[in-house]
Amino acid sequence: MDWQQVTALAIVAATAGWMVWSGLRRRTPGRAGLGGCPGCGQGGERPRERVIFHARRGERPEIRIRPR
């Protein structure tokens, strides 16, 4: 084997090791605690505005914010 094959195998082995390690490590809960994801609302008040994304082919995309 030449140096290019050894280097490629080393990169593949390092990537596989990193993926196995990240799958086996213990995950810490986010700010929301054990019951939810960090970005989810926990039953609080409704948002006061709506965000509407509008895009068509060939036109400029628009972001509209409308009050409820």
Side-chain angles (χ1 to χ4, degrees), residues 20-67:
V20 167
W21 178 79
S22 66
L24 294 177
R25 70 184 171 102
R26 187 175 186 180
R27 297 195 177 154
T28 57
R31 282 187 253 171
L34 296 173
C37 62
C40 298
Q42 294 289 330
E45 66 180 66
R46 292 176 53 186
R48 296 184 182 179
E49 63 269 338
R50 284 190 313 186
V51 179
I52 301 171
F53 299 101
H54 179 76
R56 288 191 175 166
R57 191 180 324 168
E59 294 182 9
R60 188 173 180 176
E62 296 178 10
I63 300 174
R64 299 177 186 161
I65 300 175
R66 292 188 176 171

